[in-house]
């Protein structure tokens, strides 16, 4: 397995993964295949442009002819699929694009894997497929109860991978990662949105009561989990990947404001997201038995990430003044403000 096709590799986690693989495996070639949607950013990969072991192909995973041509032309050995529409709030506004990429696109990649006899297909999925977990932690055999158009489309994608393994013996693997944070995350997600808004002295739109719980994981830990499953996972297997850092949104927000020395009065409690999952929590025993454990503490990872956004305002400033500005106006300007933090 030397030629990896990293689909969605121009996005947040995929670009971090491409860098990690090139550094860790000196004999590997990474081919990033990406549609460059609003979330795909060539800047995330710019430092790789002169690397002879890196190739970029502009393409859509739902375009079977292009996928097939790419796999054949470059002699791809394995696919790791990060490509997705990835934001819950956008899925509530426009679910159709999620079905096209997160469901149909996965089918196209599975067909290519099967047709060309690739060694591995790893589908990067999410802990959100379990639905809200009010107590305890999800294990891989738990029922999937997705509750947003995003999580339902991700469940559709990974279920196909599982079915291909059973039906055609296609060598598939699935990882279910928890909320990921770190450098190069598009500022629509809570953490980079709140960090960059706070830097700009803009309000932080806190959904509902702020008592929602997410299990935060640094992107490098997520990538090392995916790498391990790709190389050591049992074919047909499903693996939870989670940071083990369950935090209430309000506490994460206080930590951001404190580090940036900004007042809590920036917090505006706003109208909640429909169907907002109260809590996610994954049990990572299965992956840990393969030898994985997260390396980055939440406190250190958050501090480093805040510093990265402080030092890279050109990266996110460009994004926020582009496509993002229209999105933000549409999503937030009409959102009712319920109260302001004192
Ligand atoms: P992202 O939105 O930052 O990046 C998605 C990438 O996929 C972009 O580069 C985009 O251009 C590309 N893409 C979108 N549609 C495409 C298509 N049809 N064909 C080819 N490329 C396409 O997402 P992310 O946060 O890096 O997430 C990566 C993957 O990890 C996703 O599958 C997501 O569901 C999963 N995941 C994310 C998190 C998280 O907290 N961010 C947690 C668990 C799992
Ligand atoms: P998000 O980053 O969208 O990830 P996900 O919904 O996939 O977990 O949101 C993380 C948490 O932050 C979630 O509970 C929703 C909340 N949130 C806000 O309170 N305000 C916001 O503006 C956003 C984007 C999210």
């Amino acid at each position: 397995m030397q030629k990896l096709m990293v689909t969605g590799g121009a996005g947040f986690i995929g670009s971090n993964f491409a860098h990690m693989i090139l550094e860790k495996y000196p004999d590997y070639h990474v081919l990033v295949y990406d549609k460059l949607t609003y979330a795909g950013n060539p800047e995330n990969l710019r430092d790789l442009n002169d690397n002879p072991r890196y190739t970029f192909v502009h393409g859509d995973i739902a375009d079977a002819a292009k996928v097939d041509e790419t796999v054949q032309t470059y002699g791809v050995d394995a696919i790791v699929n990060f490509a997705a529409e990835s934001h819950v709030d956008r899925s509530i506004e426009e679910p159709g694009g999620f079905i096209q990429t997160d469901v149909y696109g996965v089918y196209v990649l599975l067909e290519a894997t099967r047709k060309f006899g690739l060694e591995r297909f790893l589908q990067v999925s999410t802990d959100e497929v379990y639905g809200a977990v009010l107590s305890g932690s999800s294990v891989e055999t738990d029922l999937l109860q997705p509750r947003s158009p995003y999580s339902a489309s991700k469940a559709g994608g990974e279920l196909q991978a599982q079915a291909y393994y059973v039906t055609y013996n296609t060598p598939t693997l699935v990882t279910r990662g928890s909320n990921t944070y770190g450098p190069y995350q598009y500022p629509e997600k809570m953490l980079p949105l709140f960090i960059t808004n706070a830097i700009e002295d803009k309000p932080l739109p806190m959904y509902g009561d702020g008592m929602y719980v997410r299990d935060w994981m640094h992107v490098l830990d997520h990538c090392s989990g995916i790498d391990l499953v790709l190389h050591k996972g049992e074919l047909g297997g499903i693996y939870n990947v989670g940071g083990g850092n369950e935090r209430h949104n309000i506490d994460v927000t206080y930590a951001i404001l404190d580090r940036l020395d900004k007042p809590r009065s920036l917090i505006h409690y706003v109208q909640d997201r429909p169907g907002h999952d109260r809590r996610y929590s994954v049990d990572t025993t299965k992956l840990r038995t393969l030898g994985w454990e997260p390396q980055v503490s939440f406190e250190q990872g958050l501090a480093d990430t805040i510093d990265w956004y402080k030092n890279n305002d050109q990266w996110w400033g460009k994004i926020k003044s582009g496509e993002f500005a229209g999105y933000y106006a549409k999503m937030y300007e009409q959102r009712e403000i319920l109260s302001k933090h004192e």
Side-chain angles (χ1 to χ4, degrees), residues 28 279 300:
Y28 275 33
R279 174 176 176 264
Q300 189 61 51

Side-chain angles (χ1 to χ4, degrees), residues 7-16 32-41 44 57-63 81-87 97 100-102 105 123-128 150 154 175-181 184-186 188-189 216-217 219 222 226 241:
T7 47
F12 163 48
I13 309 175
S15 61
N16 277 283
V32 168
Y33 180 96
D34 199 293
K35 185 179 173 183
L36 297 179
T37 67
Y38 76 93
N41 189 345
N44 302 356
V57 175
H58 186 200
D60 185 336
I61 60 165
D63 179 347
N81 180 36
F82 292 90
E85 288 295 337
S86 69
H87 192 41
Q100 180 66 11
T101 291
D102 303 10
Q123 171 63 10
V124 179
S125 191
T126 165
D127 63 356
E128 301 192 24
Y150 164 67
K154 290 297 291 184
T175 55
R176 294 184 182 142
S178 70
N179 280 66
T180 306
Y181 70 95
Y184 298 104
Q185 185 168 29
Y186 193 87
E188 64 190 351
K189 304 290 192 317
W216 297 96
M217 171 163 59
V219 66
H222 195 167
I226 292 169
V241 194

Side-chain angles (χ1 to χ4, degrees), residues 61-72:
I61 60 165
D63 179 347
K66 181 86 179 179
V67 166
D68 288 3
E69 181 206 314
T70 306
V71 167
Q72 282 183 294

Side-chain angles (χ1 to χ4, degrees), residues 25 43 54 63 70 129 139 153:
Y25 302 100
E43 303 254 330
Y54 163 75
D63 179 347
T70 306
V129 296
V139 292
S153 69

Side-chain angles (χ1 to χ4, degrees), residues 1-3 21-30 53:
M1 190 160 48
Q2 294 198 331
K3 202 154 255 191
I21 291 293
L22 286 167
E23 238 165 70
K24 186 165 171 198
Y25 302 100
D27 53 340
Y28 275 33
H29 192 114
V30 168
R53 294 188 291 117

